[in-house]
Amino acid sequence: MIRSFLRLASSLRNRMILIFLAITIVPFILFSAYAHTKSVEGIQQANATFSMSYLEQSKINLEAYLAKLNDQMNELIGDKKLQDLLEQPPASSQDEVSASVDLLNIVYQKKKQMDALQLRVYPLNSEAYPTYLRALEVTTSTRNEDWFQNAANSTLPIWHLSVDGGPNRGPLLSYVKTFTSLHNRTPRGLVVADLADNHFSRFFSPTKRLQGQKFLIVDETGKIVYDSAGSEWTGEQLPSPKLLAMRNVRKEGVETLSIYDEKNLIAFVRMDSLPWTIVSLTPMHALTEPITAMQRLLIFFLIAYMLCAVGVVIYLTRNFTQPVFQLVRLMRKLEEGDFSMLIPHQNRKDEIGWLYRGFGSIVRKIEDLILQSTRAERTKRELEFQVLSHQINPHFLYNTLESIRWKAENHGRNDIGEMVSALGNLLRLSLNQGKDITTVGREVEQVKAYVQIEQARIGMPLRVLYFFDEEMLDMTFMRLLLQPLVENAIQHSIRGNFEKGKVILSGRVEEGDLVIDISDNGKGIPEEVLKELNDTAGNRKMAGRSGVGLRNVNERLKIYFGPDYQLRIETQEGKGTKITIRHPILPPGGEERTTPERGADQEVS
């Protein structure tokens, strides 16, 4: 498989296709996947934060409601008239009827003050109050039911869930309290407050609920006593043993769990006053629904991207790689000595056309050389003469630039004349008659000429300041050291902020050396450029103008004068750069004494 891939990649056309797909389709797919993942994570986190905040507030409100309900039931229990009616059974049927009426009045008056569906009081000796029980529409057999017996035998309140005992055959949750006499601990009866779904739903009705989101109240056994989604799970066991185990360990939390094979974002919080847990379930598909449209759009763009990529590949193949393949076949025939091949004529003006025309020209020249082998020496001398005759004479170039400047000024274009004059001055100072050694003054003039050209090119002034001791301007100095560093500062440090950016050149004589500082207040030099500056292997790989100028100057200083004279760079991101050149003081005519052999020896050592 690896060999097949290598054979596939050996073709230029296939490499172009793979590279094109790699730089277009692959980043798009990776970005889409990354954006989808981060979007889902962000939505999950936002929903979890909102759910936890909402559950905490719901818990506070629900506990306040239940505490108030409990206090109201305690007030009913503490009613002296109620206690008196239940202390002694009625002596006659007439007394029983009168006691029943009084009981109903007490319960009715209290019910009007309570926020509950129904309020009931059950005497423990219910057989003594048949009229009262008929008014409640219950029978004496009620005391034999499990919930009644559990409440009567317990000193703590209990909650009883009737799945179909509420309005419209809905669930009914009853709060049952056993009460005793005010004077002793003799049980007197039960107080029951019935709560329907609507008594809980008001605490779990956010303004914006996601599709499929529901709120549950789970008791200590794991049974669901309230389900906000139409009591769908009310009375059932919570179908998540992991969540039940978690709520026993933590007071609150957020997890992503599967319930009935559907992934949900679950938030839960335990209540303080009751062994209940409030749970929020949000289906993951409801959370990710807002980005579904974005996914479809991304898929559409991906398909369009791939179609465009295929179209571009076909275009490149037909117009570029296929002609190159044909040219390669012709070259192989030429290698075999077949000069009878037919080279197709190309009218294209791009590089492919140049290649074909160049190849045809080469073939014709080779044929001519073979046919005129006896005149090879003469042809060689003619070619050498042509090469020599095409060499640019610097004086001719200077004179031509002066003529251009004169013509520009003669036509009133002084700006063009000044720019041409600066360019001629820059070329004259750069060539320096082929010598490597110049003076500090000529280097400064070269920098000024470069700055003048840059100002004309960008169309705005550059703040470049010069501070040099007068005595050092005539001192011997290696050429082309300052201009690359100033160019680097202008192009890569203060570029984009020419209004505030400035470059300062200052020179002085210090400890027998010439010391020149080039400072700017720009972006600073990237750390990777500084790390690779003194790395020989890294220098070969450094790319970009910001690295070339520094490397060139640094390497020339080290080669000519040794490692003690390499550049010293102080830089900080966003605060500018200071580059110090230390150059030995050379006697006049130092160019005769300073030779590359010295630098080469130092580089080897």
Side-chain angles (χ1 to χ4, degrees), residues 9 63 81 90 116 155 162 181 183 189 215 241 246 248 253 302-303 316 339 343 366 398 401 408 433 472 508 594:
E63 288 185 333
K81 188 174 181 180
T155 57
S162 177
S181 172
H183 308 293
F215 297 92
M246 287 170 52
N248 294 330
L302 181 60
I303 294 174
L316 293 176
F339 290 91
I343 302 176
I366 292 176
Y398 299 152
L401 291 175
Q433 298 179 351
M472 70 178 295
R508 63 191 181 278
T594 305

Side-chain angles (χ1 to χ4, degrees), residues 429-438 478-479 591-592:
L429 295 171
S430 298
L431 293 174
N432 196 34
Q433 298 179 351
K435 298 179 181 178
D436 286 335
I437 301 300
T438 181
M478 184 185 295
R479 74 182 180 114
E591 65 271 24
E592 300 298 332

Side-chain angles (χ1 to χ4, degrees), residues 341-409:
M341 56 187 168
L342 178 63
I343 302 176
H345 178 70
Q346 287 286 349
N347 293 321
R348 296 171 57 161
K349 304 299 182 182
D350 57 5
E351 289 81 356
I352 300 297
W354 297 345
L355 285 174
Y356 270 87
R357 288 189 291 272
F359 180 72
S361 177
I362 290 174
V363 172
R364 288 192 296 272
K365 286 183 179 180
I366 292 176
E367 290 177 338
D368 291 341
L369 289 174
I370 294 176
L371 294 175
Q372 301 175 8
S373 58
T374 57
R375 303 170 57 189
E377 193 65 28
R378 177 182 174 184
T379 303
K380 179 182 177 183
R381 286 195 299 269
E382 290 177 354
L383 290 174
E384 289 176 350
F385 176 77
Q386 292 177 11
V387 171
L388 291 175
S389 65
H390 284 83
Q391 293 294 322
I392 297 177
N393 189 319
H395 297 288
F396 172 76
L397 180 59
Y398 299 152
N399 294 334
T400 302
L401 291 175
E402 279 297 314
S403 298
I404 295 173
R405 182 180 67 84
W406 178 80
K407 286 180 176 293
E409 292 178 351

Side-chain angles (χ1 to χ4, degrees), residues 29 37 56 60 71 75 136 188 260 288 291 306 309 316 325 383 386 404 425 447 450 465 497 501 524:
I29 295 175
T37 302
E56 288 287 350
I60 294 173
D71 293 340
E75 291 178 6
L136 294 180
R188 292 294 183 211
Y260 292 134
T288 57
I291 61 174
M306 293 184 68
L316 293 176
F325 288 155
L383 290 174
Q386 292 177 11
I404 295 173
N425 193 28
V447 170
Y450 167 74
L465 308 178
N497 191 18

Side-chain angles (χ1 to χ4, degrees), residues 447-448 450-456 458-467 485-487 489-491 493-506 517-522 577:
V447 170
K448 291 180 179 179
Y450 167 74
V451 171
Q452 184 179 357
I453 293 172
E454 276 300 295
Q455 288 183 145
I458 65 177
M460 62 186 303
L462 296 174
R463 293 198 295 173
V464 182
L465 308 178
Y466 308 88
F467 301 95
L485 301 182
V486 173
E487 178 183 358
I490 292 174
Q491 296 295 334
S493 191
I494 67 172
R495 188 176 186 88
N497 191 18
F498 290 132
E499 294 82 359
K500 297 182 180 180
K502 62 181 177 181
V503 181
I504 300 175
L505 285 78
S506 60
D517 296 327
I518 298 96
S519 306
D520 64 74
N521 60 347
T577 302

Side-chain angles (χ1 to χ4, degrees), residues 540-560:
R540 300 192 192 100
K541 300 176 184 177
M542 287 175 67
R545 295 291 302 168
S546 60
V548 171
L550 290 173
R551 183 179 74 246
N552 184 283
V553 173
N554 192 54
E555 288 298 306
R556 291 173 61 212
L557 284 171
K558 287 195 298 183
I559 290 173
Y560 272 80

